[in-house]
Amino acid sequence: MFVLRKHPFSRSCWLWWLASLLVGGCAPSAGWGQEARPAPVLLDNFAGPQVAWRLLDGQAGVRVTYHTMDTRLGQFGGGAERLGLVCPAGRSARVAYRIPPASVIDELQFTARVWGNRPGLRLAATVVLPRSLDPSTGRPRALLVRGQAADRQGQWRQLQLGQLPTAVARQTRVARVEHGSQLDERGAYVSQIILLAPGGPGVTELAIDRVEVFGVVNAQVRATPAASPADPTTARASTAPVQARQRRGLEDLLRVIQWQDEPFALLAKLGFDGVGLQRLPTPAEIEQADQLGLALICPPPTPRQLTSPTTDRPWTAVALWDLGEPLTEEALESTHRWQKLLKRHDPDPQRPAMVTTQLFPREASRIGDVVLFQPLLSNANGTPREYSAWLTGQQRLMRPGTPAWTKIQTQPSPTAASQTCLLGPSNPTYAQLLASTSAALSAQCRGFYFQSRTSLAGTDPACRLRAMTLELLNLRLGLAQPWITHGKLKAAARSTVPALTALVLQAEQSHLLVPVAWDDPLRQQPLVTGPISFVVPGVAESSAAYLLSLAGTQHLRHERVTGGIRVTVEELPHDAYLLLTDDQRAFTQISRYLDQHGPRATRLTRELAATRWEEAVRRVQQVGSGLPAAHAIQQRLGQARRELQQCDKYLDMHSYELAGRQARTAAQTLDSCVSLLPATSPAEESLAQLSTPVEPEQTSASPTTEDHCLVGGGFEDLAALREAGWRHQQASLPGITSAVRLSPTAPHRGSYCLELEARPLDETRPPVVVPAPPVWITSAPIAAAAGDLVEITGVARVPSPILGSDNGLQLIDSLGGPSLAQRLPASPTWQPVRIVRVASAATQVTVTVALTGWGTAHVDELAVRVVK
């Protein structure tokens, strides 16, 4: 075998002149009778007088007692390098051997012949990530990748380190828990070999002979900072845009906000990772996004712009092309052609594209690199279980492996807004947004696109409240970001509270639990008092358990039981996590995050409660002194004020955990207070007149001058339905047939009822998911003037669950739209239906009855009542 003999200058002369020995290069033949083996690219028998290994700096309590070359110990004709180290027990000394940069590839391997007086010697390597800069130094981050440990002492052993790509990928996932999700392992290279020597009483003795390196391809790796090390400020400044773009890769985009002309600095302050534009960004906007570390998502250039030779292409900050939402098959084909054109002409052909979908998840996943789901229902309309089931059903239709994102509404749709402004709160609450994001995580959605219809830069109370809510939500998501973006969803952890389980996200040896009350409406959820226990499978018994909130951490009791580890908590805030880990680095990262963001999160919680208190006081003043529960309301307002004052005292003392607890308690007190407040708007007062629902028989039998009976709502005469303007529609869905008829099967009243039916063409292979309603019928229009209160009543029956969809039978009125649709689950008997709306302008009111999956449903006595 060819051997590099060591001499005083040999180490500086390597520099991979061994191009002939690169992977696939020439290698000397093995001796006669021996199996052929690749020649090492580097071979050091330690034959010279100079030592090569050095103790790494920064290890407290570790020092070198002697370090020499010993020719008597050499096993390969030269010598061996001897070291004596003092190292505390329970720690390992690190000695390093420098090599030129070696790209991390499958063929890269290291071996070293070592002797030690303690068991546990281990070969490792320093792996540099040139695409991931440390903002504190401006230099690339480095990882320590370890090999297997020697199990014996007092003997020469050959230590090996191989399979570097797998080891680096695994170690990068672990490091993301500590350093955040901005680590990029592409282009990784090894800069030095490390020998880990365990400490203990006395002196740790080492001898090292023959180091071999196999499979090196010299990639000429250079550090990302382009400036001179003498000017670190310039180096960091010059690489800031590159760092920002690399940090916000597709896998790291978690929180994106729809842009409404706000300053990018404000959105970054609120905790968003990306900004969704409706047009191409300007050069100034790209520069701002780079400086702030924001990724941009926008529509791609037009085909003419892409192919024009004069087009300026400053799209460096664009992380994702938004191809929009194709609503027809023709639009899908056009989108597909556009996507192909992008791949050919985009300066960055690897830049991913996103397609939004409601109706075509399979086709969207074949076109886009990311699929963005557009829920038909609002965040507040339903339960987490229903929302998660819908998302899961949509993903079953997708191409496997396509990343899924979901839209989260921060404001109601225009039609829903016209109702909520008159009949209730307009924007989703913090608890509603929490429940929506948790339900999306259970369906393995890893990105959230927050819809926004007005600017977050406004100064009105509603805008400030929404901005604070989103900032608090982003802080909560940021706490779990390493597990959300890089963890795996495991089996749910059951609890001692019915319908309360926890999602389990595992990142290496750390398990993060996200509690979800599956059957509660997406609304403000109370503090759950305990004791509450969760049983988590697959957790090491050595793990520690913590309750994590934005205000701080708390150790929890845990024990081994049948089925896993049982963790018990006395009080469970609705926005808390539980962490089980035996990796101290994971808890250290959590502690750093809370030290940085905990004070701000606590103040936001307090401000949200104070804003609600001011709104409650305003409503009390509007109503006056004639409140039926005036004494109870005043008592609870006073109690909430005292709790907020106590929160302020804790904030002054920097006791953020106690302050956060007081703020949450004040919010709970305000919940009970608001429930006692009466209506304050004319629409709410009119709604109070309808507090006793009108039975369908009464509405249709004896209409007043202010009522309008829906013609044909009794479903007795098909000709009358057609003449009045009822419309029947069917969707052309593969494998499904549908029908609408007047059925004599046990009507609620009269001789007939409306029957909607959808069936699979092949009963043996029914569709698992129905992407769109197969059949629906729309009523004749009823005139309503501005300010009119509209009450829709009827009865419905769903003999068996509707399959292929979790939305069942839907009643959709034209005033509320799909986002406020009334959904009916399976019900073998007739159930009353009631919808109340306010007409914001003169309009024609219609009611649509839609069957969203395959099965059968009946509707009868549908009526509309208009109160002037």
Side-chain angles (χ1 to χ4, degrees), residues 129-134 138 140 182-184 186 222-227 234-249 252 286-295 316-319:
L129 307 181
R131 294 174 177 263
S132 303
L133 302 184
D134 186 338
Q182 63 269 23
L183 296 185
D184 188 343
R186 292 176 296 173
R222 296 180 181 178
T224 304
T234 305
R236 285 192 290 269
S238 64
T239 58
V242 176
Q243 180 186 2
R245 290 193 298 274
Q246 292 168 349
R247 183 170 64 249
R248 300 304 185 194
D252 298 324
I286 289 177
E287 183 179 358
Q288 293 173 18
D290 277 336
Q291 292 174 351
L292 295 167
L294 287 173
T316 54
V318 176

